[in-house]
Amino acid sequence: MSLRFRLIALVTIVLMLSLAFGGVIACFNASRSVRTEMGSALLVGRQTIDNAVRALQGSLDPQRDLDGLVISFQANRHLRVSVTGGAEAAAVPVSDHSPFGEVPAWFVWLVGVAPVIDRVPIAIGGHPYGAVVIETDPHNEILEVWNQVSESVLVLALFCGQTILLIHLFIGRALRPLDRVSAAFEQIGQGDYRTRIADSLTPELRHLHDNFNRMAARLAEAAADNRRLNEQLLTLQEQERSEIARDLHDEVSPFLFAVNIDIANMSRLIKERRWAELPHHIQTIADAVGHMQRQVRTMLGRLRPIGLAEFGLTGAVGSMVEFWQRRHPEIEYRVSVSPTCESLGDLADTTIYRVVQEALSNAVRHGKPARIGVSIAPAPDHDPGHGGVIVEIIDDGQGKRESSGVGYGLLGMGERVRALGGHLTLSNRPGGGFAVTAVLPDSSPRGLQTVPLQGAAQ
Ligand SMILES: Nc1ncnc2c1ncn2[C@@H]1O[C@H](COP(=O)(O)OP(=O)(O)OP(=O)(O)O)[C@@H](O)[C@H]1O
Ligand SMILES: [Mg+2]
């Protein structure tokens, strides 16, 4: 059953009950008013007749006076008067129908006021002369009340009809925006996140309208992020694969080939018993294998940070800094890792490591700095259980130029941090230099302690 139908049915029932209740009260009032009116008409009529009967005592023609009395009551709307038992009975007004209109019988029955008959005996000179009969006629009064009640009921019925019609139209209009919202939800459900509710709804629904549009915008952003992330993932995967293929091709394949040749040469030399030349070939094989071992270790290091699991974040970040220090000893490196951030879980540790790795390499490659600071510390306003970690890499180099775009490095950092529910801030520092700040939500660090890096310039 539709909401509109239910509401209209409810309002109709309430209006009908009110109408019925009003009708009962109107009938009750009508009955009381007719009864009162009849009572007072009878009283006044009785007094008039008493006076007239008294006046008959000195009358020369009582019959004529009585006829005159009966005629004087013919225009009365509430009383019928007749004379019985006299020398000549006066005519009683006979019409059962009111000249003013008809009342339905059921209404007369509902009002329930029966005619009242009264008799005033006449005696002239001590002799009985019949009686004057007075009969109340409630018909006209009931007609008057009926006219009033039926007018009121008609007005009320018109009011009910109009109210129901207005509710029908209003609810139709009020619910129309919900149809648009429902259609919009359907489109969202089909994956069309560009859907927006354009026109503003009623004030009550404006909140829904705003929230729907915000939700659609967030979904569109999330879908775009997902697409971009997938593309990046594929690109990075391809890049990584081609790098591994290139390394295998350039750094491992030739040496395997060389080892193969050396072994063939050695077997030939053994057959020819040229023992003196063997050590040279053994040495070249050992060199080639050593080279291949180093290459494989480098490749593995790129695929998974070396030492992160074994030595923790401090050790892994330390050896990363040492790596750059060997290549750029002119730069001063300061590293500070809070012991409470030492082990935050595999994913968080790797994320922090990768952020530091990329930011450090960017600082050295692009910034030409004199100093680089790395800090991994608990967020100052953390609450236990939902603590945060702040990772900061700050250099005092030339800063990021406006014109320089964003490469895979900065993008990858942002994606990694956001994947953990954190956020990344990149900014040029006022005095020169660049700052990378990542805030990660998972951990419950307890304090900060500066760890001097062994071998690094302090
Ligand atoms: N510390 C920094 N100082 C100065 N410029 C920086 C710094 N870090 C980043 N940039 C600028 O931001 C650009 C984008 O950096 P991003 O790491 O995304 O790419 P990239 O380092 O150029 O290449 P890659 O994809 O190999 O990381 C850099 O090209 C550089 O111009
Ligand atoms: Mg980079």
Side-chain angles (χ1 to χ4, degrees), residues 358 361-362 365-366 407-410 413:
E358 178 58 27
S361 118
N362 274 353
R365 281 169 58 202
H366 307 301
Y408 284 121
L410 297 183
M413 262 198 268

Side-chain angles (χ1 to χ4, degrees), residues 75-361:
N76 194 305
R77 290 172 59 237
H78 300 324
L79 298 175
R80 293 180 187 183
V81 173
S82 59
V83 177
T84 56
E88 194 183 321
V92 176
V94 283
S95 171
D96 263 354
H97 297 284
S98 164
F100 306 103
E102 284 303 315
V103 185
W106 60 266
F107 187 72
V108 176
W109 177 83
L110 271 180
V111 172
V113 179
V116 179
I117 297 172
D118 200 2
R119 287 170 171 275
V120 180
I122 310 166
I124 298 175
H127 301 287
Y129 197 82
V132 180
V133 180
I134 316 167
E135 186 182 356
T136 57
D137 179 5
H139 190 268
N140 285 319
E141 192 59 29
I142 293 175
L143 176 69
E144 204 175 305
V145 172
W146 163 250
N147 285 339
Q148 283 170 7
V149 168
S150 56
E151 270 170 26
S152 307
V153 168
L154 191 72
V155 169
L156 221 65
L158 271 175
F159 168 77
C160 293
Q162 281 175 352
T163 308
I164 289 168
L165 186 73
L166 279 178
I167 289 174
H168 179 80
L169 294 176
F170 176 78
I171 290 184
R173 276 184 74 84
L175 293 184
R176 208 167 301 148
L178 287 183
D179 291 344
R180 290 207 297 279
V181 174
S182 152
F185 266 116
E186 207 170 307
Q187 275 175 284
I188 288 275
Q190 284 163 4
D192 183 2
Y193 302 137
R194 291 163 308 167
T195 309
R196 298 286 183 279
I197 301 175
D199 28 315
S200 58
L201 308 175
T202 52
E204 292 81 6
L205 294 180
R206 195 160 298 145
H207 202 53
L208 179 71
H209 162 263
D210 292 346
N211 281 341
F212 177 88
N213 284 350
R214 246 198 308 277
M215 178 201 76
R218 290 292 293 271
L219 282 174
E221 269 172 32
D225 270 0
N226 255 352
R227 246 194 327 272
R228 201 159 40 78
L229 210 61
N230 277 338
E231 281 166 14
Q232 262 178 34
L233 203 69
L234 289 176
T235 316
L236 282 174
Q237 262 179 6
E238 281 310 310
Q239 233 178 31
E240 230 162 41
R241 279 180 193 168
S242 55
E243 272 175 22
I244 291 170
R246 195 185 55 224
D247 284 355
L248 286 173
H249 176 270
D250 295 351
E251 305 291 346
V252 179
S253 263
F255 289 90
L256 281 175
F257 183 64
V259 168
N260 208 11
I261 291 176
D262 276 328
I263 291 172
N265 283 339
M266 282 171 70
S267 58
R268 184 172 49 80
L269 289 174
I270 289 169
K271 267 187 208 153
E272 293 171 4
R273 297 179 180 275
R274 290 156 63 183
W275 309 113
E277 293 172 50
L278 282 180
H280 167 71
H281 287 286
I282 290 171
Q283 186 55 48
T284 52
I285 287 176
D287 288 349
V289 170
H291 181 85
M292 284 189 286
Q293 270 178 336
R294 279 194 301 282
Q295 281 306 318
V296 169
R297 201 172 303 127
T298 310
M299 284 162 67
L300 285 176
R302 268 210 322 270
L303 293 174
R304 182 174 159 68
I306 292 178
L308 191 52
E310 294 89 328
F311 308 117
L313 212 49
T314 316
V317 169
S319 65
M320 194 198 309
V321 171
E322 274 173 26
F323 169 88
W324 285 111
Q325 202 175 30
R326 274 199 301 276
R327 282 153 186 83
H328 292 276
E330 75 283 3
I331 300 176
E332 182 186 324
Y333 301 87
R334 293 181 70 88
V335 179
S336 149
V337 181
S338 162
T340 53
C341 301
E342 183 54 50
S343 186
L344 305 167
D346 231 18
L347 198 57
D349 286 352
T350 309
T351 302
I352 294 173
Y353 181 86
R354 291 298 188 198
V355 167
V356 174
Q357 186 182 42
E358 178 58 27
L360 206 53
S361 118

